[in-house]
Amino acid sequence: MNLALRDIRHNLGRFLLTCLGLGLLLGVALAMVGIYGGVVEEALSLARGLRADLWVVEGGSRGPFAEASRIPGDVREAVARLPGVTAAGSLTFQTVEARHAGGPGSGEIPSEELVRERAGEAGRQRSGAVLRLQVIGYEPDRPGGPPGILEGRGIGRGRLEMVLDRGAGAPLGAMVEMANIRYRVVGISTRAVSTGGDPLAWITLRDSQDLQFRLNPPAARRAQQGGGGALPQDTVNAVIARLSPHADPASVAAEIRRWKHFAALTAAEQEQVLTRSVVDRARKQLGLFTTVLLLVSAVIVALIIYTLTMDKMREIATLKLIGAPDSTIVALVMQQAMLLGAVSFAGGAALLLAVKDHFPRRVVLGPEEIAGFGLLVFVICLFASLLGVRYALRVEPAQALGG
Amino acid sequence: MSALVALQGIAKGFGAGEARVQALSDITLSVAAGEVVGLRGPSGSGKSTLLNLVACILEPDEGILRLAGETVWQGRWAKADLRALRRRTIGFIFQFHNLLPFLDATDNVALAMTLNDVPLPEARDRARALLDYLQIGRRAGAMPAKLSGGEAQRVAIARALANRPHIILADEPTAALDSERAQVVMDLLRRVAREQAAAVLVVTHDDKIFGRFDRLVSLRDGRIEGEMRPG
Ligand SMILES: Nc1ncnc2c1ncn2[C@@H]1O[C@H](COP(=O)(O)OP(=O)(O)OP(=O)(O)O)[C@@H](O)[C@H]1O
Ligand SMILES: [Mg+2]
């Protein structure tokens, strides 16, 4: 007969209440693991969403996300000519403070004059909610566009159009203002965020280069001077390439590295750079929180089991007196610790899985993370119960006698 | 009749130096099969200490302790596993029943048997039979908290008898009972001693039951002061 179970059944209400408390704590700790998973996934979502097999960036840098990278835009043609490369596209990346500047307007294609006119308009009337965007400039018929359009269309050849991430919250047809220029939202893309968690916005390469110049004219000019034979304003942050299925990314990358002033990263290398440099601090912070929460859980389990065991002092003494071996007594204490851990963990995990989609940032939990965490809880309970076990083993059979 | 409990020149002290208390000195005492022996004496006279020595939960300082014909202590313990010795040869009855609160009456008794490797279904059958024998069969499914003091004490006696022990030790078994219930418990102990040829040693303050012992041993300051045969 299992004494641990029988004792728990006898005090079921108290046991379940204890499990509820511990379960919430373990749920929070597990949430930390999931939030970390979410940070990793969000950090990788941009690089993955662009579906690049190869990244060409400034020599000596690990750009364009972890480090700054500026290269002349005409490198794209050289990359596109390489054997194995099926398509190549120039990209710019900039984080911009934008503002939501009003609802749907007329659908005209803006001319150069209109660009200037709209700039004046925006300068006069500043309003709307501030929006931090990761703006990606690309050439609409080349790689680098939004991974999927939910609503509306992709950007065309016209000026001042924008495809905006669903997470930004602006509706189709809305006007978004950046550096005193207004862009019309012509498409809403599927959820993807920058490495910092900002919503993404796509505009044409040309618009993005204008934007770069407007945001920081002196820096842009310096870059033009330093960029060798680059055309005025034709500076990009990276060129991405798609390869034919037969091409080996590593050897194409090696080919590009032989060129002066350029570095090349395969998709796998880019992901590694992102996880290492961008996610590292998040990992340290969330890891610290998880560790503290698990330590607190361990202390709580130890105290609960110790108290449960102390409450049973007389029963344990009686068991020893009537000749129960130590194994029976150790099993009683340890099985209760395991059961406490198992029920709490199951409750906490179930609760978290039920609410995780309502978190502001993504919570990513696979069966592996859950199983690993469960194993950790098991080990914690094992060690936490040792205090109770030590107490139980020290109970003297004589303590059962007398009043 | 052979002595199932035999103490020869047993002494036991606690502490050291100034604080030393000589709880027992030169105790020679035996209890034969079928005999019910009472142990009385003022508080602090060493009754519980004596019982604990027989139960092998305290180690004597001097003398020889023999249980069920075997030498258990002489200068040192003769056996390594004292708990195994206890669960096979000794049954305990406490002042408070000390039943496990989370097991019903049947399982409290059956547990003692499963500790001796009796399979659970058989242990439960035997436990119910034992409860019937002690006229408490109708409470077999009750939890200890739902039993009256007298009922609980009878379940505890059933547990003490579970493994047909040669020796039954009881520390103030009737102290928590009224005199009628106390008589019932004493009747039971006498019946068990007779029918199972067990040696029964009972520590008691309770003068209402003094008359029910075969022998009554008086302790004072750790020594045997006298002995009488109430019968
Ligand atoms: N573990 C111990 N440590 C130190 N001294 C002890 C210990 N156990 C008993 N003693 C001392 O030994 C003496 C005998 O104690 P014991 O408990 O055997 O008396 P008792 O006759 O059972 O008394 P009571 O009727 O009050 O139960 C007392 O002086 C007591 O203080
Ligand atoms: Mg006593």
Side-chain angles (χ1 to χ4, degrees):
Chain A
M1 104 185 60
N2 188 304
L3 297 179
L5 270 178
R6 298 290 289 268
D7 182 37
I8 283 173
R9 224 197 297 162
H10 188 243
N11 285 312
L12 195 61
R14 180 169 89 166
F15 179 77
L16 289 181
L17 210 63
T18 311
C19 285
L20 181 71
L22 186 61
L24 287 174
L25 191 63
L26 291 177
V28 173
L30 189 58
M32 292 288 164
V33 176
I35 289 169
Y36 171 68
V39 168
V40 172
E41 193 159 296
E42 284 188 345
L44 297 180
S45 76
L46 171 55
R48 279 185 185 159
L50 295 175
R51 285 175 295 126
D53 295 319
L54 214 58
W55 292 80
V56 182
V57 295
E58 187 175 326
S61 88
R62 296 183 306 152
F65 306 111
E67 287 172 357
S69 154
R70 287 177 163 276
I71 53 176
D74 56 8
V75 174
R76 192 204 69 78
E77 280 146 50
V79 173
R81 278 196 299 271
L82 280 174
V85 173
T86 56
S90 298
L91 292 176
T92 63
F93 297 92
Q94 46 200 323
T95 305
V96 180
E97 196 108 298
R99 89 185 46 233
H100 188 182
S106 58
E108 92 281 28
I109 294 169
S111 59
E112 290 293 332
E113 295 81 72
L114 192 63
V115 171
R116 276 192 289 278
E117 196 182 307
R118 276 199 194 156
E121 245 172 68
R124 267 175 267 121
Q125 34 166 301
R126 294 190 149 269
S127 67
V130 172
L131 205 59
R132 244 175 83 94
L133 295 177
Q134 166 84 281
V135 177
I136 303 165
Y138 83 112
E139 297 159 286
D141 47 0
R142 298 209 168 110
I149 304 276
L150 285 177
E151 240 184 291
R153 57 173 172 83
I155 42 183
R157 283 254 153 231
R159 303 287 313 271
L160 302 187
E161 290 183 347
M162 172 185 275
V163 168
L164 190 60
D165 185 281
R166 176 164 62 90
L172 200 61
M175 302 298 280
V176 173
E177 182 193 316
M178 299 186 290
N180 290 341
I181 301 258
R182 291 182 170 193
Y183 299 79
R184 180 181 307 282
V185 177
V186 298
I188 302 292
S189 69
T190 50
R191 189 97 178 91
V193 291
S194 75
T195 51
D198 300 320
L200 302 183
W202 277 266
I203 58 178
T204 62
L205 186 66
R206 177 138 182 242
D207 281 347
S208 82
Q209 286 169 333
D210 278 354
L211 182 65
Q212 212 151 27
F213 188 78
R214 278 170 173 280
L215 285 170
N216 199 352
R221 274 185 210 113
R222 267 202 308 282
Q224 281 163 32
Q225 282 152 14
L231 290 169
Q233 293 199 3
D234 191 15
T235 300
V236 301
N237 299 116
V239 168
I240 60 171
R242 300 229 172 101
L243 303 182
S244 81
H246 315 291
D248 172 30
S251 57
V252 182
E255 178 72 28
I256 295 170
R257 283 189 202 113
R258 288 219 303 271
W259 304 351
K260 257 190 185 155
H261 310 302
F262 298 103
L265 292 90
T266 62
E269 285 165 345
Q270 183 65 266
E271 289 197 3
Q272 217 177 353
V273 166
L274 278 170
T275 6
R276 221 183 280 146
S277 65
V278 181
V279 178
D280 221 33
R281 213 178 309 158
R283 170 166 48 212
K284 277 187 192 136
Q285 190 166 20
L286 289 169
L288 189 72
F289 265 108
T290 313
T291 311
V292 168
L293 285 171
L294 287 177
L295 277 177
V296 171
S297 309
V299 170
I300 287 178
V301 172
L303 279 177
I304 291 169
I305 293 301
Y306 188 73
T307 321
L308 278 179
T309 311
M310 231 159 54
D311 285 351
K312 284 195 288 289
M313 186 272 278
R314 201 179 174 85
E315 285 80 31
I316 290 170
T318 305
L319 280 168
K320 287 187 177 183
L321 193 60
I322 66 175
D326 281 344
S327 59
T328 304
I329 287 149
V330 171
L332 170 65
V333 176
M334 283 209 151
Q335 284 169 359
Q336 290 195 340
M338 294 303 133
L339 221 64
L340 178 73
V343 173
S344 303
F345 169 71
L351 187 74
L352 181 64
L353 289 177
V355 303
K356 77 180 171 77
D357 292 335
H358 304 290
F359 274 56
R361 279 196 83 163
R362 285 202 60 178
V363 175
V364 177
L365 275 177
E368 258 172 61
E369 281 86 12
I370 294 179
F373 191 80
L375 194 72
L376 202 62
V377 171
F378 176 81
V379 172
I380 284 173
C381 287
L382 197 75
F383 279 98
S385 68
L386 292 182
L387 202 66
V389 167
R390 200 180 75 134
Y391 175 87
L393 289 179
R394 287 187 172 184
V395 169
E396 289 286 333
Q399 284 171 273
L401 296 166
Chain B
M1 257 195 276
S2 64
L4 288 178
V5 177
L7 293 82
Q8 235 177 70
I10 289 282
K12 174 69 184 173
F14 294 105
E18 291 280 295
R20 182 155 179 93
V21 177
Q22 193 60 35
L24 292 174
S25 321
D26 193 25
I27 300 289
T28 297
L29 172 73
S30 63
V31 186
E35 207 179 14
V36 181
V37 173
L39 205 55
R40 61 184 287 207
S43 188
S45 56
K47 304 182 296 292
S48 295
T49 305
L50 180 52
L51 207 69
N52 291 357
L53 286 171
V54 177
C56 304
I57 57 184
L58 278 182
E59 186 170 1
D61 295 336
E62 285 170 39
I64 302 171
L65 172 64
R66 292 165 66 81
L67 297 179
E70 284 183 62
T71 301
V72 173
W73 195 90
Q74 185 170 14
R76 60 181 182 83
W77 294 111
K79 284 183 194 274
D81 194 352
L82 295 172
R83 266 189 236 176
L85 172 82
R86 271 208 295 279
R87 69 174 174 257
R88 286 192 202 108
T89 41
I90 305 177
F92 291 92
I93 301 162
F94 310 93
Q95 175 174 355
F96 302 100
H97 54 73
N98 280 24
L99 295 173
L100 300 187
F102 47 86
L103 298 182
D104 65 16
T106 306
D107 280 350
N108 258 291
V109 179
L111 172 68
M113 299 179 194
T114 58
L115 290 177
N116 270 331
D117 301 325
V118 178
L120 187 59
E122 188 191 333
R124 281 189 173 143
D125 285 345
R126 272 172 53 189
R128 279 186 213 103
L130 205 51
L131 290 170
D132 281 339
Y133 171 73
L134 297 177
Q135 288 146 27
I136 189 100
R138 64 196 169 79
R139 304 293 278 144
M143 300 304 279
K146 297 275 190 289
L147 296 171
S148 74
E151 287 172 335
Q153 197 58 299
R154 272 184 283 169
V155 175
I157 292 172
R159 180 176 64 183
L161 302 180
N163 294 310
R164 303 183 207 288
H166 297 297
I167 298 159
I168 293 167
L169 303 178
D171 199 353
E172 311 270 12
T174 62
L177 303 179
D178 63 33
S179 82
E180 202 178 322
R181 295 284 149 207
Q183 297 301 337
V184 172
V185 166
M186 285 310 295
D187 282 343
L188 270 173
L189 289 177
R190 293 185 66 81
R191 191 168 134 205
V192 167
R194 199 172 58 243
E195 291 178 3
Q196 300 191 6
V200 180
L201 185 59
V202 181
V203 166
T204 185
H205 272 112
D206 190 353
D207 51 12
K208 295 186 294 292
I209 59 166
F210 281 170
R212 311 300 303 273
F213 292 104
D214 296 321
R215 280 190 292 141
L216 198 53
V217 176
S218 299
L219 279 183
R220 183 175 292 275
D221 296 334
R223 291 175 185 278
I224 293 179
E225 188 188 42
E227 193 181 303
M228 58 178 202
R229 290 178 178 273

